[in-house]
């Protein structure tokens, strides 16, 4: 080791975290993007992220970035890949540890960069800076795998929701359409939902049941292991 802490005689890369922040607008899956204000790629859209501080773990850095952009401290966050292509950043050798986060859009307050942070539908994403297009594709693929093992609606839907809202969420994530009755029957048989006494009147004047997730049942099933097949 050289004279100063963190200064070694061997070349070493910088490390960043990048976070794909997913939200659901009731119909489509959305991603929060930041307009870059400096070079490289000034004016281009990018995923929220930044360089790790010397006293941070990767998870701490990702949570800090998430807090700065959304105001959320306890959002669901999941590490899914590390990107190490030598030329992915034109400034220097940079490795990024990538996460995705699931948030309720209604709870996002925005941080210091709120004026430059915009939600984009997943099917209308502009060309992104660095290799963030690849990172977003990897995050979406991982989310579609994970939805079979964890009910992500816990994080993306309001506390109380209709079966139609839940179905629209799964359709948005998986990019498929489900039969309404089959989807409802499958979800109810899992035992993950609690039907509430409250009802809501829809636009077509029909009355719909409201549900919420049963966290106790979910934790028990997760401990035993389960897979949700459609």
């Amino acid at each position: 080791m050289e004279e100063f802490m963190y200064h070694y005689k061997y070349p070493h890369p910088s490390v960043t975290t990048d976070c794909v922040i997913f939200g659901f607008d009731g119909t489509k899956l959305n991603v929060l993007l930041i307009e870059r204000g400096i070079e490289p790629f000034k004016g281009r859209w990018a995923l929220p992220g930044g360089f790790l501080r010397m006293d941070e773990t990767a998870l701490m850095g990702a949570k800090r970035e998430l807090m700065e952009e959304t105001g959320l401290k306890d959002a669901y966050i999941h590490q899914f890949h590390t990107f190490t292509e030598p030329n992915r950043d034109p400034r220097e050798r940079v490795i990024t540890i990538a996460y995705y986060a699931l948030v309720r859009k209604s709870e996002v307050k925005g941080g210091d960069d709120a004026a430059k942070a915009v939600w984009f539908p997943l099917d209308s994403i502009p060309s992104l800076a660095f290799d963030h297009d690849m990172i977003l594709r990897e995050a979406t693929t991982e989310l579609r795998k994970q939805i079979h093992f964890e009910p992500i609606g816990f994080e993306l839907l309001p506390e109380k929701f209709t079966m139609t809202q839940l179905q629209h969420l799964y359709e948005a994530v998986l990019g498929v359409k489900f039969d309404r009755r089959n989807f409802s029957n499958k979800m109810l048989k899992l035992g993950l939902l609690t039907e509430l006494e409250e009802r809501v009147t829809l636009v077509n004047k029909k009355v719909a049941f409201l549900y919420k997730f049963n966290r106790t049942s979910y934790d028990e099933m997760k401990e035993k292991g389960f897979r949700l097949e459609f």
Side-chain angles (χ1 to χ4, degrees):
M1 193 166 69
E2 295 284 318
E3 180 180 358
F4 301 106
M5 191 174 185
Y6 304 118
H7 287 230
Y8 297 88
K9 63 181 179 180
Y10 302 105
H12 51 280
S14 296
V15 181
T16 61
T17 59
D18 285 302
C19 193
V20 182
I21 303 175
F22 289 111
F24 183 60
D25 65 8
T27 303
K28 293 184 176 183
L29 203 60
N30 285 235
V31 178
L32 188 67
L33 299 179
I34 307 299
E35 185 179 10
R36 287 186 57 79
I38 60 173
E39 297 291 353
F41 304 108
K42 183 178 180 179
R44 291 272 297 276
W45 294 98
L47 299 170
F51 288 90
L52 275 186
R53 296 172 179 171
M54 287 299 187
D55 59 349
E56 288 181 323
T57 65
L59 181 57
M60 289 168 61
K63 286 185 174 182
R64 173 175 53 79
E65 293 290 344
L66 180 62
M67 172 65 182
E68 290 174 358
E69 301 303 341
T70 68
L72 299 176
K73 294 182 179 179
D74 300 315
Y76 175 92
I77 189 168
H78 174 76
Q79 183 185 140
F80 66 92
H81 197 68
T82 300
F83 293 83
T84 63
E85 212 288 321
N87 298 315
R88 57 175 305 278
D89 191 316
R91 294 169 293 186
E92 59 178 327
R93 178 82 161 97
V94 178
I95 290 172
T96 196
I97 302 169
Y99 293 79
Y100 70 74
L102 307 178
V103 303
R104 294 187 178 105
K105 289 185 64 179
S106 61
E107 297 179 359
V108 172
K109 301 173 184 177
D112 295 337
D113 296 328
K116 297 183 179 179
V118 177
W119 287 102
F120 285 84
L122 186 58
D123 58 4
S124 302
I125 301 293
S127 178
L128 302 181
F130 303 102
D131 56 352
H132 290 188
D133 292 293
M134 181 187 300
I135 294 175
L136 177 56
R137 286 196 301 271
E138 292 276 356
T140 304
T141 298
E142 180 66 18
L143 180 62
R144 287 172 175 164
K145 292 178 182 177
Q146 203 66 22
I147 197 174
H148 295 286
F149 301 96
E150 295 188 35
I152 62 172
F154 269 125
E155 330 300 336
L156 292 168
L157 288 174
E159 182 180 357
K160 302 173 184 179
F161 52 87
T162 66
M163 186 64 71
T164 298
Q165 287 176 303
L166 181 61
Q167 180 175 334
H168 285 170
L169 171 61
Y170 274 77
E171 289 175 341
V173 173
L174 294 171
V176 298
K177 292 290 184 181
F178 296 113
D179 176 79
R180 180 181 61 82
R181 181 168 297 180
N182 288 343
F183 181 86
S184 178
N185 289 340
K186 180 175 287 293
M187 285 297 176
L188 292 175
K189 286 180 181 179
L190 284 174
L192 292 174
L193 304 179
T194 298
E195 183 180 321
L196 306 176
E197 295 183 1
E198 302 172 56
R199 305 289 184 268
V200 60
T201 302
L202 305 178
V203 176
N204 58 11
K205 297 185 179 180
K206 290 185 178 181
V207 176
F209 295 93
L210 283 176
Y211 299 86
K212 67 178 181 179
F213 283 106
N214 187 319
R215 174 64 74 173
T216 301
S217 295
Y218 165 62
D219 289 339
E220 291 175 354
M221 293 181 69
K222 185 177 180 180
E223 185 175 340
K224 296 176 182 177
F226 72 97
R227 180 176 174 84
L228 181 60
E229 297 283 3
F230 292 101

